Amino acid sequence: MKLFFAFAIIAIALSVVYGAPADPWNEYKTKHGKKFGSTAEDAQRKKLFLAKDALIAKHNSQPKASYQLEHNEFSDMTPAELSQYLGAVKPANKTRSLESMVRLEMETRQLPDSLDYRTDSCLPGVRNQKQCGSCWAFAAITPLEFARCKKHGALRAISEQQLVDCEPYDYGCGGGWYTNAWYYLQYEAGGAAKRSLYPYTATDNTCAFSSSMIGAKISSYGDLPSFDAAYMQSVLQDYGPISVAIAVTDSFFSYASGVYTDVECDDPNAYVNHAVVVVGWGTDNGIDYWIVRNSWGTKWGSAGYILMERGVNKCKIEKYPATILSVV
C-alpha cells in the first residue's frame, strides 16, 4: 500500500511539472478554432480527425517519404464537405472554350534547372476560395493578373466573383473550367472587373458586373499540348503561370511539405476535380517537381503552395494546361 501511494505521489508530481498528457483532439480544436453545437457532432468530428491522424502518422513514419502530411482545417471534414473546396468541371464540348486558342510554337532551348514566380512582384498573394467550388475562377484569374502586371508594370487585383456570378457556361460555386472563363471575359464581358469593385463572397449571387468595373482585358489565350512537360516549362518561362486541372485524392488535403508523389491520384479512373496554377519548377533529391499555387489560403501546404512531381503527369497535371498569351 505504501508503495502504491509513493507511485501516486510521483505521478502527481510529474503531472504538475510536465502537465497532463496532451489531448490531440482538443489541441486541434483550439488551434483551428473548431467549435461544435453538440457533443454528438463533436464525437463525429473527433472520429474523422482520429482517422486522419492515423493516416498522417503512418505516412510520415515512412523513412523514404518524399513529402510530409500535417493536420489543417480539413482534418475533421467529411468527404462531402471536402468536395466543396474543389470544383474543376471539364466541359463536355470544348469547341466553345477553345475557339480563341492558338497552338504555340516553342523553339527547342536549354531550360534552366529551376524557375520560381512565387517571389515575383507580379504574382499576387495566395487567396482562399473557401467553401465554394470556384477553384476554376481562381485558376483563371491568376495568369490574367500576372500578364496584365507584366505589360503595365503594376499588379491589379481582378475579380473571381464576376466569374462565379456571371460566366454563363459553368456553375459558379458548383464548379467550372478556366478556358470557359477566359472565353467569357474576352468575347462576352469585354473584360474582367477589378476585385475592389466586385469583391469575393464565396457564394453564388446575381450578376452585378458592369463595363465600368473593368480592370483587365484578354487579347488571346492558348492551350498547350498534353503530356509535354518541357513545352510547359518553355511557356512558363515566356508567358508566365499556367492553369491546370488535377485529380485530388485524400492525402492532398493534408499536404505539408516535400515533393508530392502519391500514386493514388494516378489511377486511370481518377478524374480531374480541382483547378490550380503552375508557377515554376525545380528538382529536390533527384525528383523533378512543379511549383503549384492552390486557392485554399496560406495556412494550407507550404504557405499555400505544393510541389508536385514533374514529367510523369502526376495527378493528371500535364493533361489540360492552358495560359494567357496577351492582354490589352
Side-chain angles (χ1 to χ4, degrees):
M1 183 66 70
K2 290 181 179 179
L3 186 62
F4 171 80
F5 281 115
F7 277 122
I9 291 170
I10 292 171
I12 292 170
L14 290 173
S15 178
V16 170
V17 174
Y18 296 105
D23 181 342
W25 173 234
N26 284 330
E27 286 186 346
Y28 171 78
K29 289 191 293 183
T30 299
K31 180 178 179 180
H32 295 281
K34 301 277 186 171
K35 296 180 181 180
F36 307 110
S38 67
T39 55
E41 184 182 3
D42 188 282
Q44 178 193 25
R45 298 291 180 179
K46 182 177 181 180
K47 186 176 180 180
L48 292 166
F49 168 81
L50 291 176
K52 185 58 65 69
D53 190 61
L55 182 150
I56 291 172
K58 181 179 179 180
H59 173 82
N60 289 349
S61 67
Q62 299 176 43
K64 294 184 178 181
S66 63
Y67 63 97
Q68 295 289 291
L69 303 178
E70 66 181 357
H71 285 295
N72 53 37
E73 64 174 316
F74 300 122
S75 294
D76 66 336
M77 293 188 186
T78 66
E81 288 170 331
L82 292 174
S83 69
Q84 293 178 302
Y85 290 85
L86 303 175
V89 179
K90 186 170 71 70
N93 181 351
K94 295 189 70 176
T95 302
R96 178 189 63 253
S97 66
L98 299 184
E99 184 175 334
S100 71
M101 290 191 172
V102 297
R103 180 66 63 174
L104 305 176
E105 296 296 336
M106 305 302 297
E107 70 275 14
T108 302
R109 70 178 72 175
Q110 184 66 39
L111 294 163
D113 293 334
S114 64
L115 176 71
D116 189 348
Y117 286 128
R118 283 178 292 183
T119 58
D120 193 291
S121 61
C122 281
L123 191 71
V126 171
R127 294 172 183 154
N128 194 340
Q129 69 186 76
K130 301 180 182 178
Q131 209 161 355
C132 166
S134 56
C135 60
W136 60 277
F138 284 79
I141 290 301
T142 295
L144 175 56
E145 289 176 322
F146 188 92
R148 186 204 169 276
C149 177
K150 287 299 181 184
K151 179 166 184 175
H152 297 286
L155 183 61
R156 173 178 289 170
I158 302 300
S159 174
E160 298 90 2
Q161 192 64 42
Q162 176 193 357
L163 296 174
V164 172
D165 293 348
C166 308
E167 197 260 74
Y169 308 114
D170 292 309
Y171 312 100
C173 285
W177 199 252
Y178 35 88
T179 55
N180 279 348
W182 294 335
Y183 180 91
Y184 157 74
L185 291 176
Q186 182 176 358
Y187 290 105
E188 299 190 13
K194 298 176 183 177
R195 208 170 199 260
S196 60
L197 299 178
Y198 208 141
Y200 187 67
T201 65
T203 55
D204 291 307
N205 307 301
T206 301
C207 181
F209 170 73
S210 70
S211 59
S212 63
M213 298 177 176
I214 289 176
K217 294 184 178 183
I218 298 172
S219 297
S220 62
Y221 56 95
D223 66 323
L224 283 59
S226 297
F227 317 124
D228 192 335
Y231 194 101
M232 287 176 64
Q233 289 173 276
S234 294
V235 172
L236 266 169
Q237 193 172 37
D238 285 2
Y239 293 93
I242 295 173
S243 302
V244 295
I246 60 174
V248 166
T249 51
D250 192 40
S251 65
F252 188 93
F253 286 99
S254 303
Y255 171 81
S257 62
V259 182
Y260 187 72
T261 57
D262 195 342
V263 298
E264 184 180 355
C265 64
D266 299 328
D267 187 317
N269 295 320
Y271 57 91
V272 294
N273 55 11
H274 191 45
V276 289
V277 180
V278 177
V279 299
W281 72 78
T283 302
D284 182 59
N285 290 323
I287 304 176
D288 294 334
Y289 62 76
W290 296 116
I291 303 170
V292 179
R293 171 191 172 96
N294 202 355
S295 51
W296 294 346
T298 57
K299 293 182 179 180
W300 175 88
S302 179
Y305 290 86
I306 181 173
L307 307 182
M308 298 183 67
E309 191 174 9
R310 168 168 53 94
V312 296
N313 194 34
K314 176 57 57 183
C315 304
K316 299 177 173 56
I317 193 171
E318 291 149 15
K319 191 172 184 180
Y320 302 109
T323 196
I324 299 289
L325 298 174
S326 61
V327 295
V328 175

